Amino acid sequence: MKKLNFELVPDSCWYSNLRTLLSKKQWDFLKADAKERAQGKCMICGRKTNRLEAHERWSYDEKTATQKLEDIVAVCHDCHAVIHIGRTQLKGDIARAESHYMKVNECSYVEMRKELGIANEIHCRRNKIPEWKLDLSYFKRFVIDEKK
């Protein structure tokens, strides 16, 4: 596993991110929590920046067709562009993203293209699942247990 990875979201999960599921106040709270944990640095490449973006980290269990929220991390724009390489390709800024991926992972162009190929294979396989169940147990960390 590389430090910075391509995270291709299954097509059926596009536009079903936390910002669309939560209120603005709830999303702002989660963003602030991620940024506080990051302490002004990208949680992937470590670059200091005042412009951190919140990124939802999801895992996918193909056997149970479950999409699980694992974390919300604060990342720089360049790392976020790599993570969402498909969107970046559509915007036409692919060369910068590829360069950033190779720099952060200290790898060659050939290695980067191999990893992108693997990510695309996984994406194609996950696209065969028509509907994903959502696991948001991540939020339990924010709930106060009044019984304790």
Side-chain angles (χ1 to χ4, degrees), residues 16-94:
S16 62
N17 56 42
L18 291 181
R19 280 168 286 188
T20 61
L21 298 172
L22 302 175
S23 70
K24 181 178 178 348
K25 184 177 179 180
Q26 291 168 321
W27 175 244
D28 287 346
F29 173 82
L30 295 172
K31 277 193 326 188
D33 175 69
K35 288 179 179 183
E36 183 179 318
R37 288 184 287 127
Q39 300 179 340
K41 295 180 189 173
C42 174
M43 294 173 88
I44 295 175
C45 72
R47 182 173 63 185
K48 284 189 172 210
T49 179
N50 293 329
R51 299 185 56 102
L52 291 169
E53 301 173 7
H55 170 66
E56 303 160 27
R57 281 243 162 103
W58 298 91
S59 64
Y60 299 89
D61 184 330
E62 295 172 38
K63 290 179 182 163
T64 63
T66 302
Q67 175 189 19
K68 181 179 181 184
L69 180 64
E70 298 292 346
D71 200 1
I72 299 168
V73 294
V75 298
C76 68
H77 177 76
D78 288 339
C79 283
H80 215 190
V82 170
I83 291 166
H84 295 295
I85 196 74
R87 182 183 67 201
T88 301
Q89 286 172 324
L90 293 174
K91 289 182 168 185
D93 203 12
I94 191 69

